[in-house]
Every structure is written in C-alpha cells, then in structure tokens.
Amino acid sequence: MTKATRRTRPRLPWAMLVIPAAAGVPLGVLWWILAPGGMNLVTRDPALGSGTNPNVWLPRDLTLAGLLVLAGCLLAVVVADRKRAEPQADLVAGLAGALCGAALAWQTGLLAAQLWAPAVDASANASIAFSLRAWPVLLLWPAATAVSVFVLELLDLMSRKPAADHGSRRTQWQGQ
C-alpha cells in the first residue's frame, strides 16, 4: 500500500510582502523630515526651506529617491539569503511589498507635510506644496531590490569553487 502524498501549494510569504509595505510609513515621515521643502534637516538652509524656491523641487525628489534605493538594497540582502525555503516567491513578494512601500512612503510624506507644515498657497504651482514631481522615483525601491539581488546572486555564483570533476576533465584534455 502506498501512502497518499498531499501536494502542497507554495505559500505566499506574507512577511516579505507586508514588512516592506509597512516600512513605507516611516520612510515617508523620514522623507518629510530630511527633504528641502519639508523640515529641511539635511541642508538647514533657510532659502531651501520653502517650496516657493524652484531649486527645492529636485533635491526633494532626490531625497526620496535615495531613501528608496537604500531600502531596496536592504531588502535585497534579506531576499537573497540562501536559507529561504522559496526564494522566488520571496523575491516576488518582496518586490510587490517594495512597490506598495514606495507608494505608502510618498503618501505618508505628503500627509506629514499637511499635518505638521504651515499652510502653503500652491495656486501658482502645485510643486510649491510638499510633493513629488518625478513619479518614476516610486519605481526605485523595487528596481534597486531587483538589481541588488541580481548582483548578490552573481557574486555568490562567482565565489563558488568549481566542482571536483572539472579537474579530471582538464587532465583528460591535456593527455590527448
């Protein structure tokens, strides 16, 4: 009599989806704290403290971009861990979580500006208010994760020692 084996479907790694998505909230607050036009903690230059100065708009977007790239690299280190049972499912869930986290970071930063910043008249240009002008910045977290996982996997593959049977093939070819 044979045992009936039960096929199990691969489970979605919820932690790899939820944790990066939830990490978007503190990243959004951090974006508002650091960015010019927000609390401006990085430059502390009063000229860059107001969104009415167009020189603020690019550094504000770049601040979020840097935070998302850093988060992507950190997520890649977790996803590329060799001890994971289902690395492909973890990677897909991590990328989806990163995209959700980037959107949450953006919206949280905007909410922080509405709650804690003084009211701003943005009738002349919408970018005067704390905002994101370059929406493709939101793709940097999953992109940085994917590229970093690729690089980590490539480095792991290159650091492996060749199998023992490669040496016997070399002596075979040298003997002929």
Side-chain angles (χ1 to χ4, degrees):
M1 177 154 52
T2 61
K3 277 188 173 180
T5 58
R6 196 172 160 196
R7 290 184 69 186
T8 59
R9 286 188 327 183
R11 291 178 21 167
L12 181 65
W14 289 104
M16 292 306 299
L17 179 69
V18 172
I19 292 173
V25 174
L27 275 177
V29 172
L30 192 60
W31 173 43
W32 180 76
I33 289 171
L34 296 176
M39 281 186 65
N40 196 19
L41 198 61
V42 171
T43 64
R44 296 180 190 229
D45 183 5
L48 297 177
S50 172
T52 56
N53 183 354
N55 293 333
V56 169
W57 300 346
L58 179 63
R60 182 174 56 204
D61 290 357
L62 290 176
T63 303
L64 181 61
L67 290 170
L68 295 180
V69 168
L70 178 65
C73 293
L74 292 175
L75 180 60
V77 170
V78 173
V79 170
D81 184 18
R82 286 276 174 207
K83 297 176 182 119
R84 299 207 165 269
E86 298 175 18
Q88 291 87 5
D90 287 345
L91 177 62
V92 170
L95 292 175
L99 189 59
C100 293
L104 271 172
W106 167 47
Q107 290 300 311
T108 303
L110 296 181
L111 181 64
Q114 288 177 353
L115 293 175
W116 299 316
V120 177
D121 180 24
S123 60
N125 190 332
S127 295
I128 290 173
F130 191 82
S131 62
L132 179 67
R133 292 179 51 94
W135 286 21
V137 164
L138 299 176
L139 299 175
L140 287 177
W141 191 348
T145 302
V147 169
S148 298
V149 166
F150 174 74
V151 168
L152 289 171
E153 292 294 327
L154 189 62
L155 289 174
D156 183 56
L157 183 65
M158 290 173 49
S159 68
R160 290 186 188 162
K161 294 184 179 180
D165 63 339
H166 290 303
S168 63
R169 287 189 199 146
R170 181 181 292 156
T171 55
Q172 260 183 345
W173 287 102
Q174 287 174 350
Q176 291 179 351

